[in-house]
């Protein structure tokens, strides 16, 4: 059963058993308790499977072909990744010291195969619990490899100890290669990560090559390889020849770069043990280097992540600052447009005021002249009519009729001239150039001035109802009434006209509607009363979604070219300058309802206006 990525490695057991019968029995027992079991027949095959996936626990028979269970445990303990994997050794052997040898090799438990299956399962679960906290997961790269050993010696036929040593090393789980001719070695050998040896064993006593020269060459290669950061291989020399200069030879050997010198007389087992020590140190250094590289990679990744996060935060800060700058710029642009619109409207109103004042002045001079001469003519006619009354001429009656007719016409002229005089007076009042100053005004008189100027727009079909319940006097700017009230009433008239049937003008009809102006005082209970103007009309009203925008500059509901969108914006600004409020709603009859509220000030001391304690008079007028 192969190991797959879908299985939890902590529940996967690696069973190393060469007997098919024993393997089948143990496997069925373990799978019956919910474990996933992967079985191999030898220790070498078990080591090769560790590159694919790490098991949660290894169950190995002690007596295996090739390396035994103890040697397998020793190989697992030599690698940093597999060092923590629990190893359970099963055996039928009863040799004395076998359990001690297995435990000393690195196994975690030793249980006879004849033990109760429940006991075996309990021991496995206990070992898995200890291992679960730090069990490694599947890694994408190779995490375990067997040690590689190169033996530089003549052919085995020439040396009987060489085959024995190679067999012993292979039983220990190492990958062993034999190099009988060191002249074929190349420097690239140390640069190939898949074939570079962890330990090189050199026969120094052979006559086929110079062992010291081979040591020097290998040491030079590995010194060059040190620059790349790799852990250099270990070099072990084997010498057994009698030498008179044994001490000097040993010094030359270590000077040549060898790491350890062993006599061939110690035997293959002891020699393999010395090699095992060198390999263990080499593999531990490999693990340390790999861990350090991973740590540096993690640090670089963390620094990169932090730098990227800082860059993102900086970009976000810049984006936020840019967005804030854009908002401020848009707000400044909006205020600039509003100010420009107000300036344009103010300039237009100032120009209009000067123009109206000039026209009124020009009209007023000849009007006064005509009125003065009209009175002279009227008095002359009266004298002539009196003289004619005393005359006995036969044509007296006809002349008297002509004179009476002339007197009637002079009376009619007088009425028309008085109307012109009133219109000029209203224009002069509306166009007063001191409108930027606070002054005491007569509210009903100012409202009637506005009505007189809008007579043509109101026509004869729109009825204006007045309910003046507030005091007559108000200390304010003239523009509050002259401009604000006029804009609102003019818009109300336009709304009433727009709501008439399309064929009204064709049928010669008259627009019908009603506008009401209501003034009163509002008592808020805090000692400051408000002077309130309420203007309602019978037009179609203002849609709720438009009511919040009608005070924006250049916003209008009129057709293109019919309005500038500045009238209500200017009115709103004027009311705000008086610390008041201007709102819009729906009238009871369905039209629009504009409410203007400003703090009531009857005028400064000495102006002669009524004080706030005077009760307002009730005035009701209709037209």
């Amino acid at each position: 059963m192969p190991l797959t990525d879908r299985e939890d490695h902590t529940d996967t057991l690696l069973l190393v058993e060469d007997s098919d019968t024993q393997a089948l029995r143990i496997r069925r027992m373990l799978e019956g308790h919910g474990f996933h079991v992967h079985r191999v027949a030898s220790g070498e095959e078990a080591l090769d499977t560790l590159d694919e996936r790490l098991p949660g626990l290894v169950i190995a028979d002690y007596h295996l072909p090739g390396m035994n269970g103890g040697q397998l445990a020793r190989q697992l303990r030599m690698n940093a990744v597999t060092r923590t994997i629990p190893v359970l050794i099963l055996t039928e052997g009863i040799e004395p010291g076998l359990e001690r040898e297995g435990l000393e090799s690195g196994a975690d438990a030793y249980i006879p195969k004849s033990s109760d299956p429940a006991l075996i399962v309990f021991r496995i679960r206990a070992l898995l619990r200890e291992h679960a906290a730090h069990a490694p997961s599947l890694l994408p790269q190779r995490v375990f490899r067997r040690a590689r050993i190169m033996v530089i010696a003549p052919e085995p036929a020439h040396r009987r100890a060489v085959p024995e040593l190679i067999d012993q090393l292979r039983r220990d789980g190492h990958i062993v290669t034999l190099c009988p001719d060191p002249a074929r070695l190349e420097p690239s050998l140390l640069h190939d990560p898949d074939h570079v040896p962890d330990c090189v064993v050199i026969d120094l006593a052979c006559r086929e090559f110079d062992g010291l020269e081979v040591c020097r060459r290998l040491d030079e290669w590995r010194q060059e390889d040190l620059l790349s950061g790799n852990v250099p291989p270990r070099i072990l020399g084997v010498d057994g020849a009698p030498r008179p200069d044994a001490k000097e030879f040993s010094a030359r050997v270590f000077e040549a770069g060898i790491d350890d010198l062993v006599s061939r007389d110690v035997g293959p087992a002891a020699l393999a043990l010395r090699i095992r020590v060198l390999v263990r140190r080499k593999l531990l250094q490999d693990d340390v280097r790999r861990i350090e590289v991973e740590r540096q990679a993690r640090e670089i990744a963390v620094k990169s992540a932090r730098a990227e996060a800082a860059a993102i935060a900086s970009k976000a800060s810049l984006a936020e600052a840019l967005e804030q700058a854009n908002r401020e710029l848009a707000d400044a642009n909006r205020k600039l447009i509003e100010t420009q619109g107000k300036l344009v409207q103010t300039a237009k109103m100032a120009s209009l005021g000067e123009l109206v004042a000039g026209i009124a002045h020009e009209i007023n001079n000849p009007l006064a002249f005509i009125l003065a001469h009209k009175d002279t003519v009227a008095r002359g006619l009266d004298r002539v009519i009196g003289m004619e009354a005393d005359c006995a001429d036969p044509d007296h009656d006809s002349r008297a009729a002509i004179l009476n007719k002339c007197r009637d016409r002079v009376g009619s002229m007088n009425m028309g001239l008085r109307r012109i005089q009133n219109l000029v007076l209203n224009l002069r009042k509306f166009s007063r150039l001191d409108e930027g100053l606070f002054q005491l005004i007569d509210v009903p008189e100012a409202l009637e001035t506005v009505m007189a100027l809008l007579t043509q727009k109101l026509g004869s079909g729109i009825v204006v109802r007045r309910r003046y319940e507030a005091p007559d006097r108000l200390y304010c700017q003239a523009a509050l009434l002259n401009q604000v009230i006029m804009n609102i009433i003019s818009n109300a008239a336009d709304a009433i006209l727009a709501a008439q049937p399309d064929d009204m003008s064709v049928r010669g009809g008259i627009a019908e509607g009603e506008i009401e102006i209501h003034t009163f005082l509002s008592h808020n209970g805090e000692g400051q009363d408000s002077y309130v103007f309420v203007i309602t009309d019978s037009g179609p009203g203002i849609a709720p979604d438009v009511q919040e925008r009608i005070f924006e500059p250049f916003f209008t509901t009129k057709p293109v070219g019919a309005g500038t969108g500045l009238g209500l914006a200017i009115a709103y600004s004027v009311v705000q300058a008086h610390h008041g409020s201007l709102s819009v709603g729906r009238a009871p009859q369905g039209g629009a309802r504009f409410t203007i509220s400003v703090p009531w000030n009857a005028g400064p001391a000495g102006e002669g206006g009524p004080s706030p304690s005077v009760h307002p008079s009730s005035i009701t007028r209709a037209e």
Side-chain angles (χ1 to χ4, degrees):
M1 177 180 179
L3 301 180
T4 64
D5 294 347
R6 294 188 301 270
E7 299 173 355
D8 184 0
H9 78 281
T10 58
D11 289 335
T12 300
L13 309 181
L14 177 61
L15 175 61
V16 187
E17 175 61 64
D18 59 324
S19 171
D20 295 339
T21 303
Q22 292 288 345
L24 181 61
R25 181 181 65 83
I26 297 174
R27 183 172 181 174
R28 286 181 176 177
M29 177 194 68
L30 296 176
E31 290 180 345
H33 287 82
F35 295 105
H36 301 283
V37 181
H38 176 56
R39 180 247 175 168
V40 294
S42 65
E44 292 82 1
E45 187 178 354
L47 295 179
D48 292 338
T49 63
L50 297 179
D51 285 336
E52 301 176 3
R53 190 181 180 97
L54 300 179
L57 182 140
V58 176
I59 303 175
D61 187 3
Y62 187 86
H63 297 286
L64 292 171
M67 70 168 63
N68 57 35
Q71 293 169 326
L72 174 61
R74 190 179 299 115
Q75 286 288 328
L76 294 176
R77 297 298 177 254
M78 291 175 65
N79 187 279
V81 177
T82 60
R83 189 174 299 150
T84 59
I85 298 178
V87 178
L88 176 65
I89 294 182
L90 299 177
T91 184
E92 291 292 355
I94 57 175
E95 297 87 344
L98 191 61
E99 180 178 0
R100 185 187 65 183
E101 182 181 351
L103 295 178
E104 288 179 349
S105 300
D108 296 276
Y110 176 92
I111 301 179
K113 293 182 181 180
S114 58
S115 301
D116 186 359
L119 176 62
I120 297 177
V121 172
F122 287 146
R123 291 302 302 273
I124 291 175
R125 294 194 183 279
L127 293 174
L128 287 175
R129 281 196 303 271
E130 297 175 0
H131 177 58
H134 50 80
S137 60
L138 177 65
L139 299 178
Q141 57 185 3
R142 294 170 62 91
V143 296
F144 178 86
R145 68 173 180 85
R146 296 160 63 184
R148 293 184 288 266
I149 299 175
M150 175 180 288
V151 178
I152 301 178
E155 292 292 342
H158 301 153
R159 294 288 187 272
R160 180 180 300 175
V162 173
E164 295 178 359
L165 175 63
I166 292 176
D167 291 341
Q168 180 63 41
L169 293 175
R170 287 176 176 169
R171 284 194 299 272
D172 286 342
H174 304 311
I175 300 175
V176 184
T177 58
L178 177 64
C179 177
D181 185 7
R184 298 180 180 178
L185 295 178
E186 297 291 338
S188 60
L189 173 69
L190 302 183
H191 302 293
D192 187 356
D194 293 330
H195 298 90
V196 61
D198 298 296
C199 182
V200 179
V201 181
I202 304 176
D203 188 356
L204 300 176
C206 67
R207 299 183 179 87
E208 285 78 1
F209 55 83
D210 186 354
L212 285 178
E213 181 62 27
V214 175
C215 289
R216 293 190 186 95
R217 197 189 329 163
L218 289 176
D219 186 60
E220 290 178 0
W221 293 349
R222 69 178 181 177
Q223 291 300 325
E224 295 176 357
D225 192 55
L226 280 174
L227 299 177
S228 63
N230 296 326
V231 179
R234 300 293 185 264
I235 302 176
L236 183 142
V238 180
D239 187 29
R243 301 178 186 275
D245 56 345
K247 293 183 179 180
E248 291 77 3
F249 179 78
S250 298
R252 292 197 304 272
V253 168
F254 282 101
E255 186 180 0
I258 202 169
D259 295 295
D260 197 3
L261 179 63
V262 183
S263 174
R264 186 185 304 161
D265 298 336
V266 300
L271 184 56
L273 180 60
R274 299 286 288 273
I275 295 174
R276 188 186 307 154
V277 173
L278 291 177
V279 169
R280 181 171 64 249
R281 288 165 51 194
K282 167 64 168 56
L283 294 180
L284 287 177
Q285 289 183 350
D286 282 342
D287 289 335
V288 171
R289 177 180 176 277
R290 178 180 56 81
I291 293 173
E292 178 64 18
V293 170
E294 292 177 354
R295 184 189 65 80
Q296 293 178 358
R298 286 195 297 269
E299 288 183 355
I300 293 175
V302 170
K303 291 180 180 179
S304 300
R306 289 177 179 174
E308 185 177 356
I312 293 175
S314 178
K315 291 181 180 178
S317 178
L318 290 176
E320 184 177 355
L322 181 60
E323 184 179 357
Q324 178 65 22
N326 289 336
R327 287 197 298 267
E328 294 177 356
L329 183 60
D331 186 60
N333 187 48
R334 178 182 58 81
K335 292 181 179 178
L336 180 61
I337 293 175
E338 292 179 1
T339 304
Q340 183 179 8
K342 294 176 182 178
L343 291 176
V344 170
Q345 184 70 5
T346 303
K348 288 174 61 177
M349 294 300 296
S351 300
L352 179 61
E354 294 179 359
L355 178 62
V356 169
I359 294 176
H361 179 72
E362 294 298 330
I363 294 176
N364 194 52
N365 288 334
L367 180 63
F369 174 79
I370 295 174
L371 287 174
H373 287 280
K374 182 269 301 180
D375 292 337
T376 302
V377 172
R379 287 194 298 272
L381 286 176
D382 290 339
R383 291 176 60 187
V384 170
I385 292 174
M387 294 171 60
E388 286 292 328
D390 299 332
C391 182
D393 191 345
D395 296 330
H396 167 72
D397 293 337
S398 60
R399 288 197 302 272
I402 294 174
L403 291 174
N404 288 329
K405 186 176 182 180
C406 289
R407 187 176 59 182
D408 294 338
R409 295 295 183 271
V410 169
S412 299
M413 290 171 58
N414 182 61
M415 184 174 61
L417 291 173
R418 293 299 177 187
R419 292 183 61 182
I420 294 175
Q421 189 179 35
N422 291 333
L423 178 60
V424 170
L425 180 62
N426 289 333
L427 286 175
R428 293 181 63 185
K429 290 181 180 179
F430 181 78
S431 61
R432 61 197 345 166
L433 299 180
D434 56 353
E435 61 181 4
L437 301 177
F438 277 82
Q439 56 187 312
L440 191 64
I441 66 171
D442 188 316
V443 175
E445 181 183 355
L447 294 177
E448 293 305 321
T449 299
V450 172
M451 294 298 104
L453 295 178
L454 293 175
T455 301
Q456 182 64 31
K457 176 172 284 191
L458 297 174
S460 59
I462 299 179
V463 179
V464 180
R465 301 188 182 278
R466 287 91 159 168
R467 283 200 297 160
Y468 301 152
E469 299 177 358
D472 293 343
R473 302 292 180 177
L474 176 63
Y475 189 75
C476 66
Q477 289 180 342
L480 175 65
L481 296 176
N482 291 348
Q483 188 170 352
V484 177
I485 302 297
M486 186 174 187
N487 286 340
I488 294 177
I489 295 178
S490 177
N491 288 340
D494 291 337
I496 293 174
L497 292 174
Q500 302 301 314
D502 295 338
D503 59 347
M504 181 189 68
S505 59
V506 178
R507 294 183 288 104
I510 299 176
E512 296 182 356
E514 181 177 313
I515 298 175
E516 182 183 77
I517 304 174
H518 182 201
T519 65
F520 60 92
L521 280 184
S522 174
H523 305 281
N524 54 15
E526 298 179 0
Q528 178 61 59
D529 296 338
S530 298
Y531 202 105
V532 182
F533 300 82
V534 179
I535 302 174
T536 59
D537 62 70
S538 60
I542 302 175
D545 57 337
V546 179
Q547 290 181 5
E548 297 181 358
R549 299 191 58 194
I550 61 173
F551 298 116
E552 296 179 4
F554 305 108
F555 177 82
T556 179
T557 58
K558 297 179 181 179
V560 178
T564 62
L566 292 173
L568 291 179
I570 297 296
Y572 189 82
S573 300
V574 172
V575 174
Q576 280 189 325
H578 287 73
H579 305 287
S581 64
L582 173 59
S583 61
V584 62
R586 189 171 184 82
Q589 61 268 33
R593 174 188 176 97
F594 284 86
T595 302
I596 305 170
S597 177
V598 295
W600 181 47
N601 187 355
E607 291 288 345
S611 63
S613 60
V614 177
H615 294 285
S617 59
S618 298
I619 304 175
T620 303
R621 306 176 185 175
E623 180 180 59

